[in-house]
Amino acid sequence: MQVNNRANAKRDSHILSAVEGGGLFETSANGYEQDELKSAKDRAESRKPFEYVNREYVIPSAKSGVTWFALRADTKDHSGTSDRTSRATVVFDKVDGDWKAVWSGWTTKKDPKTPALAKDSDGFAVPVTDTGKKQGILAPDQMDDALVALYATDEKLGNKVGASETAKWMTQFPLEQNKMLNPGGKSEFKAGKTDHKKVYALRTEKGGTLTFFNADVQEYMHTTDPAALITPSPQIALLVGSKKGEMVFLVDYLHQGSAYIPAKGTVSMVTDSWDMIKAEGPRRGLR
């Protein structure tokens, strides 16, 4: 935590890379770069130290062959106040030989409750080692596509996900974007590309699977009126490097999500955090 807090205080991604990797590091480092878009109050708050308390470790047996473990904890801020409204889950994995945090998420009282985790005869958590195999209605490796399906109104996959608060938000976002762009513009969503493909999954006592994954959602924001231009938001303008209106923007959002796949029935999208990690406008001179 000392390294993480030092990196946050200095907004230094090089320092942070010593303790974070994978999708978590990409979103954290990207957040540092977008710091100027925050209010002075929020910038100051994000630099203050915190620590994990009431820790619970979820450790698979070394016999399972997996290289990772998870931490569940409450957080305590610089003033000593513990946040009991949400609980953090952090996944640690070996990255270039070092243990680093690679995934994190927070559950609240509004999120679906997941059954207790299964344990082996030695008391260790039981990992799912074949994440490409169906564990009920979906395989853990399909959860990134299922998340994208909620944005893209792909009923084939989307209908396999229940209506949690997280899932409802994902289906609402495209509607809000299109309402904002109408008339003269439209947003369409599909899977983007991410290097963070590794999926982490654990068995539950009731035969289900709790899984942690990354997903890239790409928004194709474009005009439907040849005379119209889309004015970029401050965040898009920062990533594109221009405040100039364009006919097209491609925007990528990297999600870190968790889901419960029951032995039978629909999937519960438990938590999701996301960051806009990339934005592109058309090449100059093509319009």
Side-chain angles (χ1 to χ4, degrees):
M1 290 309 302
Q2 291 179 344
V3 176
N4 198 322
N5 283 326
R6 188 165 73 250
N8 287 345
K10 295 184 176 182
R11 315 312 279 170
D12 189 323
S13 58
H14 178 71
I15 294 175
L16 188 66
S17 67
V19 293
E20 284 191 8
L24 180 58
F25 174 71
E26 181 171 0
T27 55
S28 297
N30 190 68
Y32 287 177
E33 293 178 3
Q34 298 180 40
D35 221 34
E36 65 184 72
L37 299 176
K38 299 177 183 176
S39 67
K41 180 181 178 181
D42 287 342
R43 285 199 301 271
E45 194 65 30
S46 63
R47 285 167 165 76
K48 293 178 180 178
F50 74 99
E51 64 178 299
Y52 293 123
V53 295
N54 304 322
R55 302 183 184 203
E56 172 195 357
Y57 290 93
V58 181
I59 303 175
S61 168
K63 298 176 185 177
S64 68
V66 302
T67 62
W68 58 276
F69 68 94
L71 165 71
R72 288 172 164 173
D74 298 326
T75 57
K76 186 168 70 173
D77 64 22
H78 62 285
S79 67
T81 302
S82 181
D83 178 9
R84 296 186 179 275
T85 62
S86 62
R87 188 161 173 81
T89 298
V90 185
V91 175
F92 294 84
D93 199 353
K94 284 287 187 73
V95 179
D96 299 325
D98 296 319
W99 286 108
K100 296 184 180 182
V102 295
W103 185 97
S104 71
W106 283 260
T107 51
T108 70
K109 292 180 180 180
K110 291 183 179 180
D111 294 317
K113 294 189 183 306
T114 56
L117 296 175
K119 293 183 179 181
D120 65 17
S121 58
D122 296 316
F124 290 101
V126 182
V128 174
T129 53
D130 184 0
T131 55
K133 182 180 179 181
K134 277 192 176 182
Q135 310 293 327
I137 199 169
L138 289 173
D141 283 356
Q142 291 179 288
M143 285 311 308
D144 57 346
D145 289 334
L147 185 150
V148 175
L150 294 175
Y151 281 87
T153 61
D154 175 1
E155 293 184 0
K156 185 177 180 179
L157 268 179
N159 286 347
K160 295 182 179 183
V161 180
S164 66
E165 289 296 318
T166 297
K168 288 178 182 178
W169 181 89
M170 291 176 188
T171 56
Q172 188 66 29
F173 184 75
L175 301 177
E176 293 175 353
Q177 288 293 88
N178 278 293
K179 183 178 179 180
M180 176 186 68
L181 291 171
N182 187 55
K186 184 178 181 180
S187 273
E188 300 173 59
F189 297 83
K190 67 176 185 177
K193 294 181 180 180
T194 177
D195 295 329
H196 312 302
K197 292 293 188 180
K198 188 167 182 177
V199 174
Y200 303 92
L202 293 163
R203 302 280 185 195
T204 68
E205 284 185 349
K206 295 185 177 181
T209 302
L210 180 62
T211 183
F212 313 99
F213 61 96
N214 296 280
D216 187 308
V217 178
Q218 185 176 86
E219 179 180 9
Y220 172 45
M221 190 184 301
H222 62 96
T223 60
T224 55
D225 180 346
L229 292 175
I230 299 171
T231 301
S233 68
Q235 194 173 14
I236 292 175
L238 178 68
L239 294 172
V240 171
S242 171
K243 296 181 180 179
K244 180 182 178 182
E246 300 280 12
M247 295 182 70
V248 175
F249 286 104
L250 289 177
V251 182
D252 284 79
Y253 306 91
L254 183 60
H255 292 251
Q256 293 210 306
S258 67
Y260 171 59
I261 308 172
K264 295 181 179 180
T266 58
V267 173
S268 292
M269 197 71 75
V270 181
T271 66
D272 177 65
S273 60
W274 61 270
D275 285 276
M276 186 186 296
I277 58 167
K278 185 171 65 175
E280 299 176 81
R283 289 175 293 173
R284 302 293 182 242
L286 288 186
R287 272 200 299 117

